[in-house]
Amino acid sequence: MSDDTKRSKPSEKMIELRLPSKLGYERVAMDAAASLASRMGFETDRVSALKTAVSEAVTNAIEHGNQHDEAMKVVVLLTVRGDELIVSVTDQGHKTIDEAYVSRVPQISEAMKRDDKGGWGIWLIQELMDEVEFTTAPSGGNQVRMVIHLER
Amino acid sequence: MHNGQTSIELIFPSILGYEVVARRVVATFADFVGFDQARIDDLKTAVGEACINAIEHGNQLQPDLPVYITSSYDGHRFAVDVSDTGTNPLAIIKEPKTIEEKLAGAASLRGMGMMLMAALADEFIVEPSAAPGNTVRLIWYQREVAHT
Amino acid sequence: MLEDELRVSTRVIGNIAVIDLVGDVTTFAEAKINAAYQEMSQNGAQQILLNFRQNDYINSAGIAILIGIVTEVTRNDQKLAFSGLSPHFQKIFRMVGLSQYAKIYQDEQEALTDLQDAATA
């Protein structure tokens, strides 16, 4: 009804999603982000990229940050600000992200020599999103902040 | 697989269109815990109506007022609580009006949402909560054997 | 539910062992995919096609499983190919480098035609 919004910035809209730390629930976050991004007018390939990035961030939070403790929550904040969608994923921080992972470029030839062939998640997020930031949330958990811009 | 209760929470602004995100979130959760497609379709429609009620009536389309959804599953019972923060109570429709009555002008064109929720959910409860705001609770039970 | 998100089946067409992966390829897919690969290898498969369908969700854990298959295929001197991936996952597979070890085809038919031609050439 009223055009003026009193508290938040006029152009900013926020959706908050809280999920249990159980593998599989990342799907709920992927679909929420995809649904919002489609409404904003993102192309299919960008929505797919966003889904993959969100799944990796939430999976990391479940597996590493919250160590599969189902009672711990993963908080996903989706903020629409003008032509950008900001997704932040926060865990309750049992274990912090290793700095080395953030700057590392994994190589498949090296992965083939290792028993653990994983470690692609953080790199994928950085490759797929326009801006990525790894920080510690005020609550002490790990926070990944990802931004994707709508190109017109 | 599902021992104990699992729940997800969603908070979104009172802007029409955001109910689409809410529908999708709850549908993905229901799919994940094993509901079939027909039930998920029922659930999406009912949840969408509950959200629209919360946005339009409870929160009077004020974007700043949040709509809260808590959805939980305990292995048998799937519940979706949709709460608004508004002061405008949702009318409780004891006997859903029919489309014929509505078209004949005998009943308000509004209220179709309530009718749909009542028809699609196994249980449908409207709680004008003590604090400002209303809660609509929609419940579905996991069916072990297919209904005919 | 979770464990049922992926259905894996195998078939042989000419001299190509086809492994159909219908659904999501995540950490839960590991046992199924590895079992299908082992089965085909033990039957003497030289050319293996991983045919993806309805793969709306492949994550980094799934990619790690596929790198495991690539490792085995290289060790056993077999040939591996992928088909049926969405454009998004074709891109991801190229980014990760899986395409260096296995050719990516648009669909099953294109893969079968090309692999059979290569084998008879």
Side-chain angles (χ1 to χ4, degrees):
Chain A
M1 297 282 172
S2 71
D3 288 327
D4 62 327
T5 45
K6 286 161 198 83
R7 281 174 309 185
S8 61
K9 292 179 197 128
S11 58
E12 203 171 280
K13 294 160 202 106
M14 215 182 269
I15 297 183
E16 184 177 329
L17 181 62
R18 292 173 171 267
L19 302 169
S21 296
K22 184 172 180 184
L23 279 182
Y25 280 89
E26 72 275 13
R27 247 181 276 258
V28 177
M30 289 163 70
D31 284 352
S35 168
L36 190 59
S38 301
R39 281 185 45 79
M40 289 174 71
F42 282 97
E43 301 284 343
T44 317
D45 62 328
R46 300 278 282 163
V47 175
S48 299
L50 175 69
K51 282 176 80 173
T52 292
V54 168
S55 88
E56 295 302 332
V58 176
T59 304
N60 269 345
I62 293 172
E63 289 186 322
H64 302 294
N66 290 349
Q67 299 279 301
H68 296 277
D69 179 349
E70 282 180 38
M72 291 194 139
K73 295 287 178 190
V74 176
V75 180
V76 182
L77 217 54
L78 303 160
T79 309
V80 181
R81 186 188 287 161
D83 272 357
E84 50 181 41
L85 174 60
I86 305 157
V87 184
S88 86
V89 176
T90 310
D91 59 44
Q92 290 182 260
H94 264 1
K95 198 173 161 219
T96 53
I97 295 173
D98 189 346
E99 272 298 316
Y101 264 98
V102 177
S103 51
R104 196 178 58 107
V105 178
Q107 299 296 330
I108 189 167
S109 52
E110 285 164 27
M112 285 169 69
K113 292 177 207 145
R114 293 196 308 262
D115 280 346
D116 172 15
K117 300 185 188 326
W120 299 88
I122 288 172
W123 174 77
L124 269 178
I125 295 170
Q126 290 169 323
E127 289 292 307
L128 294 170
M129 295 291 95
D130 295 326
E131 294 170 36
V132 183
E133 208 181 354
F134 295 90
T135 52
T136 303
S139 58
N142 300 297
Q143 190 168 60
V144 187
R145 183 181 178 276
M146 311 175 264
V147 185
I148 180 166
H149 304 289
L150 191 59
E151 283 139 23
R152 290 194 193 272
Chain B
M1 257 216 41
H2 280 272
N3 28 15
Q5 178 158 307
T6 341
S7 67
I8 62 167
E9 290 162 59
L10 180 73
I11 307 169
F12 63 94
S14 294
I15 300 170
L16 283 175
Y18 278 73
E19 77 280 4
V20 178
V21 179
R23 276 162 47 109
R24 181 96 174 256
V25 161
V26 179
T28 304
F29 182 32
D31 178 46
F32 179 60
V33 300
F35 276 84
D36 65 34
Q37 196 53 51
R39 302 273 282 168
I40 291 172
D41 289 341
D42 288 353
L43 194 142
K44 282 168 80 172
T45 297
V47 169
E49 293 301 329
C51 292
I52 289 170
N53 272 345
I55 295 170
E56 285 190 334
H57 303 299
N59 287 349
Q60 296 284 302
L61 290 162
Q62 296 181 62
D64 272 6
L65 296 181
V67 176
Y68 296 92
I69 295 188
T70 302
S71 184
S72 61
Y73 181 68
D74 63 5
H76 173 58
R77 181 176 177 274
F78 189 95
V80 186
D81 284 9
V82 180
S83 306
D84 58 56
T85 38
T87 47
N88 198 31
L90 294 179
I92 298 168
I93 295 167
K94 297 211 166 54
E95 208 174 335
K97 301 282 186 289
T98 64
I99 181 101
E100 287 79 12
E101 283 176 279
K102 285 183 186 298
L103 293 176
S108 161
L109 282 172
R110 300 244 94 132
M112 284 303 274
M114 294 287 191
M115 192 183 83
L116 282 171
M117 286 187 273
L120 294 171
D122 292 340
E123 283 177 33
F124 165 58
I125 305 151
V126 181
E127 285 173 1
S129 49
N134 310 279
T135 296
V136 165
R137 172 167 294 174
L138 300 158
I139 295 167
W140 284 268
Y141 293 98
Q142 184 73 269
R143 290 170 187 165
E144 301 302 328
V145 190
H147 263 297
T148 47
Chain C
M1 292 198 272
L2 263 184
E3 288 77 4
D4 301 322
E5 297 295 333
L6 177 72
R7 278 186 290 129
V8 179
S9 56
T10 56
R11 58 204 158 101
V12 176
I13 295 174
N15 57 352
I16 301 155
V18 182
I19 300 176
D20 290 298
L21 303 172
V22 183
D24 300 341
V25 183
T26 66
T27 187
F28 302 105
E30 187 161 17
K32 282 183 190 171
I33 294 179
N34 287 344
Y37 167 74
Q38 292 304 337
E39 178 202 325
M40 291 320 237
S41 282
Q42 276 156 19
N43 294 341
Q46 283 306 305
Q47 298 201 88
I48 295 161
L49 176 65
L50 290 183
N51 184 40
F52 292 83
R53 272 164 37 212
Q54 296 162 32
N55 58 304
D56 188 43
Y57 182 22
I58 301 175
N59 68 7
S60 61
I63 287 167
I65 297 166
L66 298 175
I67 295 173
I69 299 291
V70 164
T71 309
E72 287 296 306
V73 161
T74 308
R75 186 176 297 151
N76 297 332
D77 219 12
Q78 295 158 314
K79 194 172 168 187
L80 181 72
F82 300 123
S83 63
L85 289 162
S86 71
H88 172 65
F89 290 113
Q90 289 184 29
K91 182 180 89 177
I92 299 265
F93 278 34
R94 275 193 288 272
M95 280 165 55
V96 167
L98 278 165
S99 53
Q100 295 164 33
Y101 299 89
K103 197 162 174 185
I104 298 175
Y105 295 98
Q106 282 305 320
D107 55 41
E108 180 188 338
Q109 201 46 55
E110 189 195 20
L112 292 176
T113 308
D114 193 53
L115 292 171
Q116 256 148 7
D117 285 355
T120 51

